[in-house]
Amino acid sequence: MSRVFVSADELLAHLRYLGEMLSSESDAFTELEHGLQTAALLATVAPHDSELHIAGLIHDLAHPWDGPGQPKHAVMGADAVRPLLGNRVADLIAGHVPAKRWLVTRDANYRAQLTEDSIMTLAAQGGDMSDAELAWFESLDSWQAMVELRRADDGAKVPGAITPGLDVYETPIRMRASLGTT
Ligand SMILES: [Fe+2]
């Protein structure tokens, strides 16, 4: 079941719920830990891009709503936060699946680094990009940030990794929500 968040409080409550849910990819960490690791990695590669950190934190927030292979979770997650957090955060979330397909197509070493689960879901997500799809993706405003999010996503699967907690992101989320849709 999909939904749309109407307040930062609602979104933060959902993120806490993800802290009690094991990752769809591993029993060794929670969905929230995966998001926190993604955000922490993005903070090192793009320290001033708060919207990218938020998008990394919440990019898989729709995992509980999607089905096997998670074919729709990126779009569902983007739709859920677009009214609250604006178009760029939503687009970054929507972009993390096409970014995986872009990397698989453009980077010969990338596929070898994917986990078994990630290779399986790739087929459900569309597989390699065609030339037209590559041109479309590279025309998007934030496509390079989407690729950064994807690379962080792939590195954010370390059991027991120590990261900043959810509290670090509460103020940035509330500040972004107060700006409305831009
Ligand atoms: Fe992820």
Side-chain angles (χ1 to χ4, degrees), residues 10-26:
E10 246 190 31
L11 173 60
L12 289 163
H14 181 73
L15 295 177
R16 288 187 201 100
Y17 162 68
L18 294 182
E20 297 161 14
M21 174 176 284
L22 290 176
S23 164
S24 64
E25 296 187 40
S26 171

Side-chain angles (χ1 to χ4, degrees), residues 25 31 34 38 59-60 63 73 96 150 153-154 157:
E25 296 187 40
E31 289 283 359
H34 171 61
T38 305
H59 72 280
D60 282 337
H63 268 179
H73 80 283
H96 85 274
R150 185 74 225 184
D153 182 5
D154 293 324
K157 300 173 183 180

Side-chain angles (χ1 to χ4, degrees), residues 2 50 52-53 55 57 66-67 94 113 122 127 129 135 145 152 170 175:
S2 188
S50 175
L52 182 57
H53 307 165
L57 173 68
D66 202 357
Q113 298 167 17
L122 176 66
M129 280 187 164
E170 286 199 28
M175 284 178 62

Side-chain angles (χ1 to χ4, degrees), residues 107-176:
D107 184 343
N109 296 319
Y110 179 77
R111 190 190 296 262
Q113 298 167 17
L114 290 179
T115 62
E116 204 173 305
D117 186 82
S118 203
I119 291 169
M120 273 167 34
T121 55
L122 176 66
Q125 291 159 346
D128 284 36
M129 280 187 164
S130 66
D131 287 347
E133 287 173 321
L134 289 169
W136 162 77
F137 184 74
E138 291 165 12
S139 75
L140 299 176
D141 281 345
S142 293
W143 74 271
Q144 282 134 323
M146 292 171 187
V147 172
E148 293 293 356
L149 196 162
R150 185 74 225 184
R151 289 193 187 278
D153 182 5
D154 293 324
K157 300 173 183 180
V158 181
I162 304 298
T163 65
L166 181 58
D167 54 321
V168 167
Y169 301 96
E170 286 199 28
T171 298
I173 286 173
R174 290 187 193 285
M175 284 178 62
R176 184 62 197 79

Side-chain angles (χ1 to χ4, degrees), residues 51-111:
E51 290 186 333
L52 182 57
H53 307 165
I54 293 170
L57 173 68
I58 67 177
H59 72 280
D60 282 337
L61 67 80
H63 268 179
W65 310 331
D66 202 357
Q70 298 285 341
K72 291 182 265 183
H73 80 283
V75 171
M76 291 167 96
D79 290 348
V81 302
R82 192 177 296 277
L84 185 68
L85 299 178
N87 287 328
R88 182 160 182 267
V89 172
D91 289 345
L92 288 169
I93 294 169
H96 85 274
V97 169
K100 173 179 166 184
R101 297 182 58 218
W102 181 89
L103 277 160
V104 165
T105 312
R106 284 286 198 221
D107 184 343
N109 296 319
Y110 179 77
R111 190 190 296 262

